[in-house]
Amino acid sequence: MSKIAILTDSSCDIPQELAEKYGIDIMGFHILLDDEDIVEREKYTPEEFYDKMRAARGIPSTAAITPIQFCEKYCQYVDEGYTDVIHVPINRSGSSTYNNAVMAQGMLREERPEHHLNIHLLDPHTYSMVFGWYLCEMARKLQNGAELRHVISEFETQMNKMEIILGPYSLKQMKKSGRISAAAAVMGELMGIRPIITLIDGKTRVESKVRGDDKVIPAMIDLCKKRTEGVEDFDYMIGHTSIPQAAELEKACRKAFGKAPLTTFNLGGVVSANTGPDTLALVYVGKARD
């Protein structure tokens, strides 16, 4: 009989109660901020981390989970009698973590040469609860007796439709992470210009710019409507960094789309280290990509 583990990392932003409910293992990223080495999910709540970013001298940087760490986790699964592990790390194009997981599989063959663990390594092509929500769905279906290959296929199909619109209200982290140019960040802060950014298939793009914080939410919703034209009854989620505009976005989305979001969630440390501590995210199911 199969014994299946589900492994991800803290970029998934799955709330701890859901992780425990569905038996999902989450490995924490290391985040360096003002010389403090922070292991995500171990020391600070998301709100405490946002406050630290706002008060920090510098901006945070993240370190990929290492092959050794992954190999140790795989060895644990082997020793505990697991037959399969579904491993969904952070978006492959945004971190070396995925490649480190590939390296760990080779190390596992050296550490446990007789092992029979099937490692299903999946690239979500995205971040945060954008894949975390559907990872929970995968775990729920497995608990209810669904076939492994079926839930993996469903997950990959779903990830091929997910899109994110970001509305950052501060640009320091966006500049450092390369999401926008340094010149655009400086001019944005001086003139109150806010970029409206898509994150699709691991790639960011500035879709438009608005002047004034009050224009951000309407621009996000307008863009979402355009991107989902022809998609029947699409689902959406709202991510945020515990800023007052989060409630405004949810209210505007309920009015525009005629229904509540699947969930609202906090952007975790890894994600907010790149977007900044004052950001909204509108996540939606778009058209399937080729």
Side-chain angles (χ1 to χ4, degrees), residues 27 65-74 87 97 100-101 104:
M27 298 179 68
I65 298 172
T66 67
I68 292 175
Q69 288 175 290
F70 283 139
C71 183
E72 290 174 346
K73 195 67 178 176
Y74 292 161
H87 186 181
T97 301
N100 287 351

Side-chain angles (χ1 to χ4, degrees), residues 19-251:
E20 292 174 359
K21 178 179 180 179
Y22 293 118
I24 298 172
D25 285 341
I26 301 175
M27 298 179 68
F29 274 92
H30 284 257
I31 304 173
L32 185 65
L33 180 60
D34 283 356
D35 300 323
E36 182 180 3
D37 186 2
I38 301 165
V39 180
E40 189 172 13
R41 303 174 78 100
E42 286 189 5
K43 188 172 183 181
Y44 298 113
T45 65
E47 290 83 2
E48 289 170 339
F49 185 71
Y50 307 149
D51 288 341
K52 285 188 69 66
M53 282 198 289
R54 294 183 183 111
R57 300 185 306 275
I59 66 171
S61 60
T62 59
I65 298 172
T66 67
I68 292 175
Q69 288 175 290
F70 283 139
C71 183
E72 290 174 346
K73 195 67 178 176
Y74 292 161
C75 285
Q76 176 188 331
Y77 292 140
V78 171
D79 295 342
E80 293 177 357
Y82 283 89
T83 59
D84 298 84
V85 54
I86 301 171
H87 186 181
V88 185
I90 191 172
N91 162 42
R92 183 178 186 177
S93 65
S95 171
S96 60
T97 301
Y98 182 99
N99 290 335
N100 287 351
V102 174
M103 293 174 60
Q105 294 183 40
M107 296 169 66
L108 176 63
R109 287 190 289 271
E110 296 179 3
E111 292 291 325
R112 301 287 192 278
E114 302 300 322
H115 85 84
H116 298 287
L117 180 67
N118 298 304
I119 301 172
H120 309 274
L121 184 61
L122 311 180
D123 179 7
H125 304 287
T126 189
Y127 304 88
S128 194
M129 276 290 276
V130 189
F131 74 89
W133 177 269
Y134 294 99
L135 196 56
C136 291
E137 280 291 286
M138 179 190 292
R140 181 185 63 80
K141 290 175 181 177
L142 286 171
Q143 287 181 355
N144 290 333
E147 290 188 6
L148 177 64
R149 61 182 179 180
H150 178 69
V151 297
I152 288 176
S153 176
E154 277 192 336
F155 179 83
E156 292 180 323
T157 298
Q158 191 69 39
M159 291 301 98
N160 198 39
K161 301 176 183 177
M162 302 308 297
E163 299 185 2
I164 308 171
I165 298 172
L166 295 172
Y169 290 87
S170 61
L171 304 178
K172 185 168 73 170
Q173 264 91 341
M174 300 292 284
K175 176 183 71 173
K176 179 67 176 179
S177 67
R179 300 294 191 269
I180 60 173
S181 70
V186 171
M187 291 302 295
E189 297 292 1
L190 287 175
M191 302 179 66
I193 295 173
R194 304 293 181 233
I196 306 301
I197 300 169
T198 53
L199 178 52
I200 301 171
D201 201 20
K203 302 178 179 68
T204 55
R205 175 175 171 171
V206 176
E207 299 288 348
S208 64
K209 299 174 185 177
V210 296
R211 190 162 188 173
D213 289 352
D214 61 327
K215 303 291 197 308
V216 172
I217 289 174
M220 293 175 71
I221 290 176
D222 285 347
L223 180 56
C224 182
K225 286 181 176 179
K226 292 176 183 177
R227 296 286 311 173
T228 56
E229 187 175 356
V231 180
E232 186 175 349
D233 196 31
F234 67 92
D235 289 318
Y236 73 97
M237 297 181 271
I238 292 172
H240 60 85
T241 53
S242 295
I243 54 178
Q245 293 91 336
E248 297 174 27
L249 177 59
E250 181 172 350
K251 181 179 179 181

